[in-house]
């Protein structure tokens, strides 16, 4: 089925294109790779499997009231979390053009009282997070070439902005293993190296979830309880992604 171009523009960083095919609206950064996608007729269902995996920290944290996001894209994850959690969302992206695109084509309410969106280059040595003491950090930082490498200084600042019991969740692409090794090294300098890992089926995406303390079976049991009490759309996404979690080191029967 041929796609229909809904919008195409160029900003200082390159091409931005929004297309529609078979009822699914997708964002592209100048190539065929979907950077964001949703179906307006079923907004309660996440289109990307890795989106579902990135909802797992909401179950794994006891009270994720403040969520920071690196990488807004089309705003699909921000919109979903605003609608199905009580969290405040603090999103940062490089490209200011994405804000209006997210509003026009992906249903993101930029004036939502629990949403704060900033545009900045997080690789700039002068950049500082626009939030303090967050509970969850969701990292989905890609450009048209793949994963964006973050300077050690940026990762240091991000770690310092996290609450003592906070979680970091990062989407990685396993076709660039050097980038995966680099981000694991950087995060392991601040958090326990044995991250929870969810491998997305039939994709090269993996989602890794870090915290300062080692994960235990009791943490997963508590997550299952929270998941059972979550709103339907969130519970559906988390329940599917939960099956992709890899066993804890030393606990082969988990999750």
């Amino acid at each position: 089925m041929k796609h229909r171009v809904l919008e195409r523009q160029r900003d200082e960083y390159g091409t931005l294109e929004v297309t529609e095919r078979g009822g699914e609206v997708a964002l592209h950064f100048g190539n065929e790779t979907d950077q964001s996608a949703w179906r307006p007729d079923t907004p309660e269902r996440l289109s990307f499997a890795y989106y579902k995996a990135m909802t797992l920290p909401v179950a794994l944290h006891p009270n994720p009231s403040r969520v920071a996001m690196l990488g807004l894209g089309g705003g699909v994850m921000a919109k979903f979390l605003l609608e199905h959690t009580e969290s405040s969302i603090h999103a940062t992206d490089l490209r200011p053009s994405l804000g209006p695109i997210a509003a026009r084509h992906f249903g993101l309410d930029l004036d939502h009282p629990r949403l704060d969106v900033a545009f900045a280059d997080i690789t700039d040595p002068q950049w500082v997070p626009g939030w303090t003491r967050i509970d969850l950090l969701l990292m989905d930082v890609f450009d048209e070439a793949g994963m964006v490498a973050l300077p050690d200084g940026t990762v240091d600042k991000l770690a310092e902005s996290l609450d003592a019991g906070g979680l970091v969740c990062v989407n990685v692409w396993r076709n660039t293993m050097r980038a995966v090794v680099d981000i694991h090294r950087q995060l392991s300098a601040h958090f326990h190296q044995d991250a929870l890992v969810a491998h997305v089926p039939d994709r090269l995406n993996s989602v890794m979830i870090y915290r300062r303390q080692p994960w235990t079976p009791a943490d997963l049991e508590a997550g299952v309880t929270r998941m059972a009490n979550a709103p339907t759309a969130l519970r559906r996404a988390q329940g599917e992604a939960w099956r992709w979690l890899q066993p804890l080191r030393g606990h082969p029967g988990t999750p």
Side-chain angles (χ1 to χ4, degrees):
M1 183 182 298
K2 188 175 181 180
H3 70 257
R4 179 168 60 101
V5 176
L6 303 180
E7 180 173 345
R8 181 186 292 121
Q9 62 168 281
R10 286 189 63 85
D11 62 11
E12 61 182 301
Y13 304 105
T15 300
L16 293 167
E17 184 178 77
V18 180
T19 63
E20 183 275 331
R21 178 175 0 202
E24 183 173 84
V25 178
L27 172 69
H28 307 268
F29 291 167
N31 55 29
E32 294 300 314
T33 301
D34 291 351
Q35 298 289 343
S36 292
W38 78 314
R39 298 186 66 90
D41 57 343
T42 54
E44 74 282 0
R45 293 183 178 271
L46 292 169
S47 292
F48 289 167
Y50 88 83
Y51 282 166
K52 299 171 186 177
M54 294 193 79
T55 67
L56 291 176
V58 178
L60 292 165
H61 192 285
N63 183 28
S65 61
R66 292 172 58 81
V67 179
M69 302 180 63
L70 296 183
L72 176 69
V76 173
M77 276 296 296
K79 178 179 184 295
F80 184 84
L81 293 177
L82 287 169
E83 292 179 350
H84 302 292
T85 75
E86 297 300 319
S87 305
S88 62
I89 308 299
H90 308 267
T92 300
D93 202 290
L94 176 66
R95 305 173 76 163
S97 301
L98 288 174
I101 285 176
R104 281 194 296 270
H105 299 289
F106 296 90
L108 181 64
D109 179 6
L110 295 173
D111 295 320
H112 194 290
R114 288 189 282 113
L115 176 64
D116 173 58
V117 180
F119 297 97
D121 181 0
I122 64 173
T123 68
D124 187 324
Q126 303 303 314
W127 177 78
V128 293
W131 56 79
T132 56
R133 315 319 299 168
I134 56 167
D135 302 304
L136 303 181
L137 171 61
L138 307 182
M139 300 173 60
D140 187 19
V141 189
F142 286 76
D143 60 19
E144 70 282 357
M147 290 176 61
V148 174
L150 299 181
D152 289 349
T154 294
V155 177
D156 294 344
K157 295 171 190 174
L158 292 170
E160 291 168 4
S161 75
L162 207 66
D163 190 69
L167 309 182
V168 176
C169 177
V170 56
N171 173 42
V172 300
W173 220 350
R174 298 193 310 277
N175 67 339
T176 51
M177 285 307 298
R178 179 172 180 178
V180 175
V181 169
D182 284 346
I183 190 64
H184 176 68
R185 171 189 58 79
Q186 291 173 312
L187 291 173
S188 295
H190 300 278
F191 306 99
H192 198 279
Q193 65 180 3
D194 291 337
L196 275 179
V197 179
H199 293 311
V200 178
D202 304 317
R203 304 290 295 178
L204 289 173
N205 296 88
S206 289
V207 169
M208 304 191 298
I209 307 170
Y210 295 81
R211 70 175 191 175
R212 292 182 173 91
Q213 307 84 7
W215 292 102
T216 68
D219 297 320
L220 300 185
E221 292 170 6
V224 169
T225 299
R226 295 186 197 102
M227 186 167 56
N229 295 315
T232 300
L234 180 59
R235 184 172 69 249
R236 181 191 303 120
Q238 292 171 331
E240 183 174 350
W242 198 268
R243 301 196 301 269
W244 309 333
L245 282 173
Q246 303 302 295
L248 295 178
R249 181 171 294 185
H251 300 278
T254 58

